[in-house]
Amino acid sequence: MTASNEAQVAPVQADAAPDLLYSEAEDDLRAAVRSLLTDRGGPAAVLADLESGRTHDTGLWRSLAADMGTAGLLVPEKLGGQGASAREAAVVLEELGRAMAPVPYLTSAVVAVTVLLGCETDRPEVAGPLAALAEGRSVGVLAVPLPTAPGTLPEPAVRADADGALSGEVTGVADAAAADVLLVPADGPYGYALYAVDTTADGVRTEPATALDLTRVPARVTLDRAAGRLLAGQDTARAAVTGALLAGAGLLASEQLGIAEWCLSETVRHTAQRTQFGRPVGSFQALKHRMAALWLEVASARAAARNAADALATGSPDARVAVAVAQAYCAPVAVRAAEECIQLHGGIGMTWEHPAHLFLKRAKADEIALGTPGRHREALAELVELPAP
């Protein structure tokens, strides 16, 4: 077969089975991120920071995003990024989930970056913010409520006038308090459009809300004739926002996997060390059964999360199905793992001093982020043409 014939055959491989295994490069990336998070103290350090009132670790974000370069994993090298894919970003999110790290990786390095990549990247208004996000010099946040699911794009709560001045209020915007730039969908004289707004500009106000999960605090964003820079309009803007929500939901499953993995590992470690009646409590058959059942669920969640990441990385036509499956399955598994972790730790698991409650709160918050499991099951039924009775 000639080289030209081989090139013609190659695209047929797009329907090949997804690769759920981790590559050597991904394992190396995991080791580097885990080492950084371990040096920073892990969940215990996060809990100590929350007691001091700090909800974002700017030093950790600088080390992770800028020094290590993970903020630009999804950005092509020619645009200032690392030229990697959703598979590598998924590995980072797994480790961030295991460490409960209070950094805006999902909101900035995944969702905001994907929005900008969906716009015309050769325009300075897009290329500038994208390069800043990829290099970790700034944090970007898409100004939509955190529960917004892919495929259910709401009408904008913000209006734009002919001069690009934005007015309106958006609630439940995750990590808005840590953002340097807001990517704001707005309705205006040219219809649906997407604007960039600096959080330091006049007429911009962010008010953190009372949150269950103190490591990813939502905020109310109020704009009063704030100056906006047009990024995209009409169909391009809608497609960019929809694609970003899909990528965010798909990679959120990897964060949920990390939560479940930590909870399972910590529970096994604790029950192997804690003794009762002269025996480790983990040797009791009832607890063995509970942890074995949880192990099976976590293993299945890993397959679902990896499938979603691989589908996003390869541009699979089944990406929407893979994301819906991952979110419908991984969200409840993360909650169940956190609940089991608290219960099987006994009295200490119920206290503020043990970090288990951080994982339960994040798991519950993630369960409604970017669409509930029920919403994703409904979407999956439509995608595979299997409507509910």
Side-chain angles (χ1 to χ4, degrees):
M1 181 179 291
T2 66
S4 60
N5 286 337
E6 290 178 356
Q8 292 173 0
V9 171
V12 178
Q13 303 302 316
D15 294 331
D19 182 5
L20 305 186
L21 301 179
Y22 297 98
S23 67
E24 183 178 351
E26 290 164 2
D27 286 336
D28 291 343
L29 175 61
R30 178 192 305 283
V33 174
R34 185 175 295 187
S35 175
L36 172 63
L37 296 174
T38 300
D39 288 344
R40 294 285 178 154
V46 174
L47 184 57
D49 278 349
L50 293 180
E51 291 176 340
S52 68
R54 187 172 67 160
T55 57
H56 289 92
D57 191 333
T58 54
L60 174 59
W61 174 248
R62 185 166 52 253
S63 298
L64 179 73
D67 298 344
M68 193 173 288
T70 61
L73 286 176
L74 298 181
V75 181
E77 291 184 40
K78 65 180 182 179
L79 298 176
Q82 304 300 319
S85 73
R87 291 176 58 95
E88 289 78 12
V91 169
V92 175
L93 281 164
E94 284 181 36
E95 292 307 309
L96 294 178
R98 289 178 65 95
M100 201 49 54
V103 293
Y105 191 85
L106 178 70
T107 48
S108 182
V110 174
V111 176
V113 160
T114 306
V115 168
L116 292 174
L117 287 173
C119 302
E120 297 178 15
T121 55
D122 56 346
R123 295 179 58 219
E125 296 85 353
V126 177
L130 181 58
L133 264 59
E135 295 168 8
R137 292 185 283 111
S138 69
V139 173
V141 169
L142 177 62
V144 300
L146 183 59
T148 305
T152 58
L153 204 59
E155 289 302 312
V158 175
R159 295 283 303 177
D161 64 19
D163 297 326
L166 306 179
S167 299
E169 181 179 279
V170 187
T171 59
V173 181
D175 292 328
D180 300 300
V181 61
L182 298 171
L183 308 180
V184 185
D187 193 13
Y190 308 108
Y192 190 95
L194 185 68
Y195 295 83
V197 178
D198 294 329
T199 56
T200 56
D202 293 338
V204 180
R205 187 170 72 253
T206 59
E207 302 172 80
T210 301
L212 172 65
D213 175 18
L214 297 178
T215 61
R216 182 179 285 149
V217 178
R220 175 186 290 108
V221 175
T222 304
L223 304 176
D224 183 10
R225 293 194 56 77
R229 302 182 299 278
L230 181 65
L231 300 175
Q234 297 292 358
D235 293 343
T236 300
R238 288 185 182 275
V241 174
T242 300
L245 294 175
L246 183 69
L251 294 182
L252 177 61
S254 292
E255 178 181 285
Q256 292 162 334
L257 171 62
I259 292 170
E261 286 180 332
W262 184 92
C263 291
L264 175 60
S265 298
E266 177 63 17
T267 302
V268 171
R269 183 201 64 78
H270 175 77
T271 56
Q273 294 179 354
R274 173 139 177 105
T275 59
Q276 202 171 65
F277 307 114
R279 295 174 55 190
V281 297
S283 66
F284 299 152
Q285 190 174 40
L287 299 192
K288 283 183 178 180
H289 287 173
R290 288 173 68 171
M291 287 184 283
L294 185 58
W295 183 90
L296 289 172
E297 291 185 351
V298 172
S300 298
R302 183 178 301 111
R306 292 298 296 168
N307 183 47
D310 186 73
L312 291 168
T314 59
S316 169
D318 292 328
R320 293 173 62 196
V321 172
V323 170
V325 169
Q327 270 304 303
Y329 189 82
C330 294
V333 169
V335 172
R336 190 151 48 247
E339 290 173 342
E340 289 286 80
C341 180
I342 289 176
Q343 291 184 17
L344 296 184
H345 270 75
I348 187 63
M350 304 291 181
T351 65
W352 176 269
E353 287 75 15
H354 195 282
H357 65 92
L358 296 179
F359 290 84
L360 179 58
K361 292 170 181 175
R362 170 64 70 85
K364 291 297 290 184
D366 280 358
E367 194 175 28
I368 63 171
L370 299 169
T372 63
R375 175 66 186 86
H376 286 286
R377 283 193 292 270
E378 292 175 0
L380 179 61
E382 295 175 3
L383 289 169
V384 300
E385 298 181 355
L386 188 65

